[in-house]
Amino acid sequence: MRKQIVVGNWKLNGTKVLCHQFASGLAGYIGSVELVICPPATHIDCLVSAASAHSSTVSVGGQNVAAQSGGAYTGEVSAGMLRELGACYAIVGHSERRALFGETSEIVAQKASHLLEAGITPIICVGESSLVREGGEHAKFVGRQITEVLSRLAPSAESAVILAYEPIWAVGTGNTASSEQVQSMHAHIRSVAAPFINSVATRVLYGGSVTPDNAANLLALPDVDGALVGGASLELDKFLAVAGGC
Ligand code: PGA
């Protein structure tokens, strides 16, 4: 049985005040869904401490991690550092990082490997552009992204990763993928991942304009095990409403 998980990706947003607001607001949460917030790296410590002070069950994650474990890499944050801050998860290969920061599948795999070594669960993002979908190549494209990353991970990665399908055309646009598009891609991802990980036990999340209005339908799909939420994760009520749709 895969436990549903809703992950908030705050991107380049958030303040210490918001960390405290979420930590206290989620303190009484009794739902069955696992809740994770990924604030900017500078705020992980604050959110972890605030969650602990409020006995809040929310877990904390990073939005990115260095592809190296240490050394002369100015500005980077390693998996070990994230672990020391109290992060349990970290997003890798988000489409914004692939498009804006040149992250290749090889780099994504290096990052995921460092996270696994540090005992942090990587949330590996994949997803096609509108051009690729219009060309009918989306299944092949996403399948290749999955294979390129998972084939580079040690076999011990078995069921220790989370996969997230985020079609680029749905991220931050208000254009959510349809239930049919999501279910068929998630089933495809599970089958493509099967040679590398225990894909039946692996959680596959959907991301891309998830809101309280569409969450219940998307999260009820058989191969959807939760959501990766951007915009709607910046407001506590909306984030909780999305989780309530599980
Ligand atoms: P969105 O972002 O929910 O604002 O579309 C999702 C994401 O980028 O992870």
Side-chain angles (χ1 to χ4, degrees):
M1 186 65 186
R2 301 183 295 261
K3 189 177 163 80
Q4 296 252 25
I5 176 168
V6 171
V7 182
N9 173 11
W10 283 2
K11 308 191 181 187
L12 190 48
N13 302 293
T15 57
K16 287 189 174 186
V17 170
L18 196 66
C19 292
H20 284 283
Q21 194 196 328
F22 266 69
S24 66
L26 295 174
Y29 175 76
I30 47 159
S32 57
V33 180
E34 194 176 340
L35 301 179
V36 181
I37 292 289
C38 300
T42 47
H43 289 57
I44 291 174
D45 200 19
C46 175
L47 188 53
V48 169
S49 312
S52 153
H54 288 281
S55 307
S56 171
T57 53
V58 64
S59 298
V60 183
Q63 299 174 13
N64 181 33
V65 68
Q68 303 81 13
S69 57
Y73 300 99
T74 303
E76 292 295 285
V77 174
S78 73
M81 292 166 183
L82 287 182
R83 181 73 249 181
E84 200 177 6
L85 289 176
C88 303
Y89 296 90
I91 299 166
V92 288
H94 189 282
S95 58
E96 286 153 15
R97 297 222 52 94
R98 290 183 193 254
L100 304 173
F101 301 95
E103 236 168 65
T104 61
S105 290
E106 192 176 358
I107 294 172
V108 175
Q110 283 166 2
K111 292 182 172 195
S113 295
H114 285 298
L115 290 170
L116 288 165
E117 274 165 33
I120 295 177
T121 303
I123 301 171
I124 302 168
C125 300
V126 293
E128 82 286 358
S129 65
S130 54
L131 211 67
V132 169
R133 180 158 284 266
E134 280 154 22
E137 297 288 302
H138 44 284
K140 206 163 125 199
F141 182 89
V142 169
R144 195 168 59 234
Q145 285 184 317
I146 292 280
T147 308
E148 282 172 353
V149 176
L150 295 186
S151 63
R152 289 181 163 94
L153 302 185
S156 58
E158 181 90 351
S159 84
V161 302
I162 290 178
L163 304 175
Y165 171 52
E166 294 207 307
I168 298 169
W169 46 272
V171 172
T173 60
N175 300 324
T176 319
S178 70
S179 295
E180 294 72 27
Q181 288 171 326
V182 174
Q183 172 53 30
S184 89
M185 185 61 90
H186 279 225
H188 175 61
I189 287 172
R190 224 179 273 292
S191 82
V192 171
F196 308 105
I197 55 174
N198 179 355
S199 72
V200 174
T202 299
R203 293 181 286 186
V204 184
L205 314 186
Y206 169 75
S209 299
V210 175
T211 65
D213 292 337
N214 58 34
N217 280 343
L218 291 164
L219 296 168
L221 298 169
D223 279 300
V224 176
D225 306 307
L228 181 51
V229 189
S233 74
L234 288 166
E235 287 174 50
L236 180 61
D237 290 354
K238 284 191 184 168
F239 184 65
L240 274 171
V242 167
C246 285

